[in-house]
Amino acid sequence: MNILFNCILKFCTSKKPFQFQFFFQNKNIMDSMLLLSPAIIILFVYFLTYCVHNIAVPRMDWMIYITWKRATRCQKNLIVLVLCLTVISIFVYSSQISKLEKEEAEGLDFVRKKKGDQHKGPSDENVMVAVDLDIAPDPPQNNKVGSKEKNVDHNIRANDLLVDAVHGRVVSEEAAPVQASMSERQEFVRGMMRHAWSGYKKYAWGHDHLHPITHKFDNWFGLGLTILDALDTLYIMDLKEEYQEAREFVANKLTFDKDIDVNLFECTIRVLGSMLSMYHLTNDKLYLDKAVDIGDRLLPALTKSPSPVPYSDVNLRTGNAHAPKWGPDSSVSEVTTIQLEFRDLSFITGDSKYKDAVDRVSKHVHDLAGKKDGLIPMWINARTGNFRPSATLTVGARADSYYEYLIKLWVQTGGTESVYLDDYLEAVRGIEKHLIGLSIPNHFTYVGELLNGVNPSAKMDHLVCFLGGSLALGSRLLEKKLPEVSKHHMDLGTAITKTCHEMYASTPTGLSPEITYFNLNEAVKEDVIVKPLDRHNLLRPETIESYFYFWRLTNSSMYRDWGWNAAQAFEKYCKVEGGYTSIKNVMDLRNTKPMDKMESFFLGETLKYLYLLFSDDHKLLPLDKWVFNTEAHPLPIRSSSRI
Ligand code: DMJ
């Protein structure tokens, strides 16, 4: 009786509206309905029997009985009906209230915790700072790379996350299902790679991308991009059989002699990058020959341009190069993110023509007027060689990897080319001055944009999330040279990576949207705003990439737990029979709207960084020996820029 009274009280005093659609969608409510079903059935039978006068009405207490006796038939019917509905509503509503209250309590608790540790970075007991990049300490060993110790039940783990994702308003580190050991996590990621590979092999072999739901495929360049992007991941994961299938394709099927226009940047980072990595990892001349072949075919995009800025597109057979079909300008990120690869090609062939061509672009962009405190406008014209005036300043799409390659070009030649470091340091200062902001109410550090070069916007692409990792890498290398800058960059990178984590943790699926806006309005209580058209997730790697750098450079297991959450969410919401699919809506658990596309970078980058994140072995592709290109293909670090 007490419970009933409380429920009625809550029902009358609560400001929360009753939602009928919630009624049928919520498992708890449906469960309470099941529990109540005997009572409902009894009342229903009572009502029926009364109507047909077959069975005598059972006596309750005499007051009720007298009232009942005096009522007309119609009134009696009505009373019974109302009673039934009331009982059902009370139970349904009480379970809804308790659920909402639980969520509120969890949410408040989470916000309180967040406020407490904002900007603190990894907790002290978790951090064991590496002394130097080239002698980074290994973490406590409980796993060997590529170990095949245990068979993990992937489905059970994915279901565990569902509980967190459904009921946690945020899938935070506090709520993370972190029980799996590192070897289990690595094995889990190998399982993901196997699944993605087998779907691609079955339905899209030899084509660029798999459509894992309809079992179709598409061809962007018609080169088997997924195979090429996946090659080094398969090799690193020690998936021997799959690797042999991929190598066999490169040896016997892959030809670049195709009358097809390709995008210089995409083909460089995915195809040339992959061939170079494979050559360095295996010493197999097959890959060297392929690297030279594709390098020579891409080169006309640089050499045929009237300015030092390359054309965006080039025909692999004819060498005919041109601006994009849809506009006059190239993205600045595209013309400045081919350097690591072409320079490496010169280093291994001894032929300086590749390096000369891309160094010319870098020098031109370095000298070019139109930057704002080291920030570059996002468009550049290959005919005139100039930036488009009043273009947006961003670290997101169309500019992102310009910043990434500044620090990595400096790293690639052993810190000998200070021009890249200088530009990088200036750019980071520019980013802080013009693009960084703090959200309300929880002060997340976001990297926004200057629209048309002047108007601030708190918009942050998921693509920006590479920045935390790059700052961490730069910070470690600058520790001795510029200790204060190094510390500052580490703090900034830590804060940005925490924000990127929030972009995942604040959605119901635990997956980040493609674009996030950060709240600057005191009246609004949520830091993160996701607009309807920005809710898609393309299986992108950038946040995982940053987790990987932070794990390697700080040994903080928090980043591995964050990565594990993301892996589980990919598994739960993106896995389909044919592979993994991009989704259109990370904000709705029940309707993620699969987009039926598996990007090659999911195999090339996302799964590779996850695997490396869960590896205890810092000597697997150590960061003082290898620099990862923007597509996660590792290239060796040299001691100088000499060819
Ligand atoms: C990748 O192709 C590269 O990382 C590129 O620099 C940016 N976009 C995708 C992945 O998101």
Side-chain angles (χ1 to χ4, degrees):
M1 211 50 198
N2 248 349
I3 295 168
L4 272 181
F5 181 74
N6 281 338
C7 289
I8 293 166
L9 204 71
K10 277 185 180 178
F11 186 80
C12 299
T13 54
S14 173
K15 287 179 195 111
K16 285 163 194 135
F18 188 83
Q19 293 171 332
F20 277 101
Q21 78 274 21
F22 191 82
F23 180 93
F24 294 104
Q25 288 169 352
N26 191 291
K27 192 176 169 297
N28 289 345
I29 293 173
M30 294 314 282
D31 284 347
S32 4
M33 293 293 295
L34 275 179
L35 281 174
L36 277 174
S37 56
I40 295 167
I41 291 167
I42 289 167
L43 278 168
F44 188 63
V45 170
Y46 180 89
F47 175 65
L48 272 184
T49 52
Y50 177 73
C51 289
V52 293
H53 287 280
N54 279 341
I55 306 169
V57 178
R59 226 189 122 130
M60 299 181 208
D61 80 34
W62 71 275
M63 277 294 287
I64 297 173
Y65 183 70
I66 288 173
T67 320
W68 181 257
K69 271 294 208 188
R70 284 181 189 158
T72 64
R73 180 177 299 182
C74 179
Q75 281 170 329
K76 286 174 182 168
N77 288 349
L78 218 82
I79 289 168
V80 175
L81 190 70
V82 167
L83 264 176
C84 285
L85 286 175
T86 310
V87 171
I88 294 168
S89 305
I90 285 169
F91 277 92
V92 166
Y93 200 71
S94 68
S95 62
Q96 188 184 352
I97 285 172
S98 60
K99 181 180 171 286
L100 288 171
E101 279 175 348
K102 193 168 162 251
E103 280 183 6
E104 257 173 26
E106 279 169 3
L108 282 174
D109 195 35
F110 183 71
V111 170
R112 253 180 254 124
K113 276 184 194 157
K114 274 195 159 174
K115 279 187 178 154
D117 68 7
Q118 201 59 217
H119 294 303
K120 250 207 249 156
S123 69
D124 284 345
E125 53 297 2
N126 278 335
V127 181
M128 186 171 82
V129 178
V131 182
D132 205 347
L133 186 65
D134 53 353
I135 45 167
D138 280 354
Q141 293 289 313
N142 61 5
N143 176 33
K144 285 277 164 276
V145 175
S147 115
K148 293 156 203 150
E149 291 154 51
K150 276 188 191 163
N151 264 339
V152 188
D153 184 340
H154 298 171
N155 295 326
I156 289 173
R157 294 193 187 289
N159 288 339
D160 286 349
L161 183 76
L162 179 63
V163 177
D164 294 323
V166 173
H167 298 294
R169 283 145 60 104
V170 279
V171 181
S172 66
E173 66 271 34
E174 290 88 350
V178 291
Q179 316 315 344
S181 71
M182 285 310 144
S183 60
E184 286 174 327
R185 291 181 184 187
Q186 265 199 315
E187 195 51 34
F188 186 90
V189 176
R190 285 176 95 235
M192 292 174 82
M193 185 70 185
R194 260 196 231 105
H195 181 71
W197 181 258
S198 70
Y200 170 80
K201 187 177 145 193
K202 195 162 167 194
Y203 303 116
W205 186 252
H207 301 283
D208 284 343
H209 289 120
L210 164 70
H211 295 195
I213 296 172
T214 53
H215 300 164
K216 295 192 171 129
F217 50 78
D218 65 66
N219 281 308
W220 191 14
F221 308 147
L223 299 175
L225 276 186
T226 297
I227 302 175
L228 305 183
D229 245 356
L231 258 167
D232 55 359
T233 308
L234 294 171
Y235 184 79
I236 291 162
M237 289 183 179
D238 199 24
L239 290 169
K240 291 194 175 68
E241 200 180 300
E242 291 83 353
Y243 169 70
Q244 280 312 325
E245 291 163 357
R247 188 195 177 279
E248 208 270 327
F249 172 85
V250 176
N252 300 318
K253 295 279 184 316
L254 180 64
T255 171
F256 298 129
D257 184 23
K258 289 195 163 178
D259 184 10
I260 185 165
D261 287 5
V262 299
N263 174 285
L264 167 69
F265 158 76
E266 296 289 359
C267 212
T268 299
I269 65 170
R270 297 182 200 221
V271 182
L272 178 58
S274 158
M275 294 300 103
L276 291 167
S277 277
M278 287 314 300
Y279 176 61
H280 292 297
L281 290 169
T282 63
N283 220 16
D284 185 338
K285 192 164 171 300
L286 166 71
Y287 299 115
L288 174 61
D289 293 343
K290 291 291 179 191
V292 172
D293 189 6
I294 189 67
D296 285 337
R297 290 171 190 275
L298 293 173
L299 206 54
L302 292 122
T303 54
K304 287 192 177 168
S305 168
S307 82
V309 176
Y311 280 123
S312 66
D313 292 41
V314 60
N315 186 292
L316 286 184
R317 180 172 292 160
T318 65
N320 179 36
H322 56 85
K325 293 216 165 91
W326 39 267
D329 300 328
S330 305
S331 309
V332 176
S333 61
E334 294 196 358
V335 304
T336 53
T337 313
I338 50 178
Q339 281 70 6
L340 283 179
E341 298 81 355
F342 276 90
R343 282 157 43 120
D344 190 67
L345 191 53
S346 278
F347 293 140
I348 58 177
T349 58
D351 187 339
S352 67
K353 69 179 176 185
Y354 311 106
K355 181 173 185 297
D356 292 344
V358 291
D359 281 355
R360 191 163 158 253
V361 187
S362 298
K363 182 169 183 333
H364 176 79
V365 174
H366 169 77
D367 294 336
L368 198 58
K371 290 188 221 109
K372 186 169 184 159
D373 295 319
L375 303 180
I376 38 110
M378 64 203 271
W379 297 109
I380 195 163
N381 191 289
R383 210 170 34 76
T384 65
N386 292 326
F387 291 126
R388 186 192 290 181
S390 310
T392 292
L393 303 177
T394 174
V395 188
R398 310 215 169 275
D400 48 356
S401 41
Y402 162 73
Y403 303 100
E404 178 187 351
Y405 268 32
L406 286 179
I407 188 69
K408 288 184 173 177
L409 284 166
W410 183 67
V411 171
Q412 186 186 28
T413 49
T416 55
E417 294 168 289
S418 55
V419 63
Y420 296 116
L421 178 62
D422 294 344
D423 282 359
Y424 172 74
L425 294 174
E426 192 191 356
V428 176
R429 284 194 296 271
I431 289 170
E432 286 196 270
K433 184 170 171 190
H434 299 290
L435 306 182
I436 295 272
L438 293 179
S439 67
I440 294 172
N442 290 308
H443 305 114
F444 285 105
T445 301
Y446 67 83
V447 187
E449 301 188 342
L450 276 189
L451 304 176
N452 303 316
V454 282
N455 301 318
S457 162
K459 163 183 178 270
M460 183 164 164
D461 292 346
H462 183 274
L463 287 168
V464 178
C465 289
F466 80 88
L467 185 61
S470 291
L471 283 164
L473 176 68
S475 160
R476 180 48 45 85
L477 293 165
L478 293 171
E479 250 171 15
K480 288 185 187 138
K481 199 177 162 77
L482 298 167
E484 277 176 27
V485 174
S486 159
K487 161 95 180 60
H488 182 62
H489 283 199
M490 197 60 164
D491 290 346
L492 183 60
T494 304
I496 292 170
T497 303
K498 192 179 171 83
T499 301
C500 291
H501 167 253
E502 182 65 14
M503 285 156 63
Y504 283 68
S506 62
T507 72
T509 55
L511 289 171
S512 171
E514 176 74 355
I515 297 170
T516 302
Y517 285 82
F518 285 86
N519 174 45
L520 302 177
N521 180 350
E522 296 282 355
V524 176
K525 296 223 170 70
E526 301 293 329
D527 292 78
V528 167
I529 301 159
V530 186
K531 298 190 177 179
L533 291 179
D534 303 335
R535 293 176 171 179
H536 46 295
N537 181 295
L538 305 182
L539 310 169
R540 285 197 192 277
E542 290 77 15
T543 300
I544 312 279
E545 174 183 345
S546 284
Y547 294 164
F548 160 68
Y549 281 105
F550 273 95
W551 157 245
R552 276 288 172 96
L553 298 170
T554 69
N555 276 343
S556 165
S557 60
M558 178 178 77
Y559 298 103
R560 306 175 106 183
D561 294 341
W562 287 357
W564 181 236
N565 283 346
Q568 295 283 287
F570 282 128
E571 188 74 1
K572 180 71 207 163
Y573 297 107
C574 303
K575 187 177 186 180
V576 290
E577 177 272 327
Y580 291 84
T581 178
S582 306
I583 57 173
K584 212 173 189 168
N585 190 359
V586 297
M587 303 303 287
D588 189 347
L589 290 173
R590 293 170 196 89
N591 191 10
T592 54
K593 297 188 181 160
M595 291 164 82
D596 193 23
K597 174 99 184 238
M598 185 172 79
E599 298 279 353
S600 71
F601 54 67
F602 182 63
L603 292 85
E605 293 190 73
T606 312
L607 293 179
K608 185 189 292 146
Y609 282 129
L610 275 172
Y611 182 80
L612 293 174
L613 176 67
F614 300 139
S615 166
D616 285 332
D617 185 358
H618 283 192
K619 294 185 184 70
L620 176 65
L621 298 171
L623 291 175
D624 62 324
K625 302 267 187 307
W626 298 88
V627 58
F628 288 83
N629 89 337
T630 194
E631 194 76 3
H633 299 305
L635 301 172
I637 292 175
R638 319 214 152 236
S639 54
S640 79
S641 59
R642 273 194 313 276
I643 294 172

